[in-house]
Amino acid sequence: MDSIFELFKHKIENNEKLTPKMQDILEASLLLFAEKGYSNTSTKDIARSANVAEGTIFKHFGSKENLLYASILPFLSQSLEDLIPTDSQHNMAKLNSLSLSDFLHQVLPERIDFAGKNLKIWKIFLTEYLYQESMRDNLITLIPKALLDEINQILNLFKRKKEIIDWPNEEIMRLIISLIAGYIIAKSMGFSTNAESKTETNHLILFLEKGLHP
C-alpha cells in the first residue's frame, strides 16, 4: 500500500481522540475515495466498508464533506510533513549557487516519483481538482505550512535572481501544480512508458523553465 496511506493509518490509530469506530470510518473513507473517487463514494459505501451504521458517520463527522476536509485532509497533511521534511536554512544556502534549471532537475524527478508511488492517494485530489471548485479552493490546505513557507522562499529567491517571472507566488504554484498533476494523471492512464519517463520529465522541466522565464 502507498506510504502515505500507511502513515495515515498509523496516525489515526495512535490518536487518542479517535474511537475505534472513528478510526475504521477514516480508514475506509480514504480507501474508497482512492478507489472510486470522492464524488462516487456515498456515506452508505463508507458505512458498509467500515462495518458501522450510516448514522455513526453523521454523529462523529457531520457529513462526507466534513469528513474529508476536517479529518482526512489534516491527517494527510501531517503525513506529508513527516514524509517530506524541510530544512529551509540549509536548502536556501544551497539554492543560492543553483540555477533554476539545476534546481528543477534535482527536485522534480524525485517528487514526481514520490507522487507516482502514492498515486491512489493523489487521485482523490487530482481528479476532484479538475472538476470541483471547492476542491481547488481547499487543496492548498493539504500542503504543510513548513513546506508552503519553504516554497514561497524558493520562489522569492529565484525572483530576486531574475530567473522566474514576477507573478504572485500563489498563481505560480497553481500553474506548476496543474501542470504536474496533469502529467501524473496522463501517466496513470497509460499515456507514457517507463522507457520514456526520464525524457518526458526533462521535457516537463524545460516546459516549466520556458513558461516561468521573465
Side-chain angles (χ1 to χ4, degrees):
M1 183 57 69
D2 299 344
S3 57
I4 294 179
F5 178 81
E6 292 300 333
L7 193 50
F8 173 89
K9 184 177 178 181
H10 174 77
K11 284 189 176 295
I12 63 174
E13 288 176 349
N14 287 275
N15 189 304
E16 296 178 355
K17 295 180 180 179
L18 299 175
T19 66
K21 284 187 177 181
M22 292 171 73
Q23 292 173 7
D24 290 341
I25 290 168
L26 286 169
E27 185 175 334
S29 299
L30 189 62
L31 282 171
L32 287 170
F33 292 164
E35 290 171 3
K36 300 176 61 174
Y38 171 77
S39 298
N40 294 326
T41 300
S42 68
T43 51
K44 286 185 179 178
D45 295 329
I46 296 169
R48 190 179 305 114
S49 180
N51 197 29
V52 299
E54 190 175 6
T56 305
I57 297 174
F58 298 121
K59 174 185 174 182
H60 290 299
F61 299 102
S63 66
K64 186 178 77 167
E65 184 176 0
N66 197 51
L67 176 64
L68 177 65
Y69 290 118
S71 297
I72 290 179
L73 278 180
F75 276 116
L76 284 177
S77 180
Q78 294 169 23
S79 301
L80 278 175
E81 199 162 5
D82 288 349
L83 287 170
I84 310 176
T86 59
D87 184 355
S88 297
Q89 188 172 355
H90 174 70
N91 289 343
M92 296 308 292
K94 283 181 61 179
L95 281 176
N96 276 309
S97 62
L98 291 179
S99 67
L100 176 63
S101 179
D102 290 338
F103 170 71
L104 292 175
H105 276 92
Q106 282 190 19
V107 172
L108 272 192
E110 181 183 349
R111 296 295 186 266
I112 290 172
D113 183 60
F114 172 76
K117 288 177 179 176
N118 291 276
L119 190 58
K120 284 186 178 180
I121 301 300
W122 294 123
K123 283 174 76 173
I124 299 172
F125 308 102
L126 298 182
T127 305
E128 300 304 318
Y129 179 83
L130 296 176
Y131 299 108
Q132 291 202 44
E133 186 175 351
S134 61
M135 179 65 79
R136 291 195 292 273
D137 292 341
N138 286 280
L139 190 66
I140 198 73
T141 64
L142 179 61
I143 304 176
K145 185 180 183 303
L147 181 58
L148 191 59
D149 290 343
E150 185 166 4
I151 292 171
N152 276 304
Q153 289 183 49
I154 291 168
L155 293 177
N156 290 335
L157 173 65
F158 282 116
K159 284 181 186 178
R160 289 195 300 270
K161 293 170 70 173
K162 302 200 181 298
E163 292 199 46
I164 63 173
I165 196 163
D166 191 11
W167 289 346
N169 288 350
E170 293 81 4
E171 184 177 348
I172 293 174
M173 280 190 269
R174 281 198 302 272
L175 291 169
I176 293 174
I177 289 171
S178 297
L179 179 63
I180 295 176
Y183 172 70
I184 293 171
I185 289 174
K187 285 193 69 173
S188 75
M189 295 173 67
F191 292 138
S192 69
T193 65
N194 289 332
E196 298 170 338
S197 290
K198 187 173 181 180
T199 300
E200 287 182 346
T201 302
N202 287 336
H203 290 166
L204 176 65
I205 290 171
L206 184 61
F207 195 86
L208 273 172
E209 286 179 52
K210 291 184 177 296
L212 294 173
H213 192 273

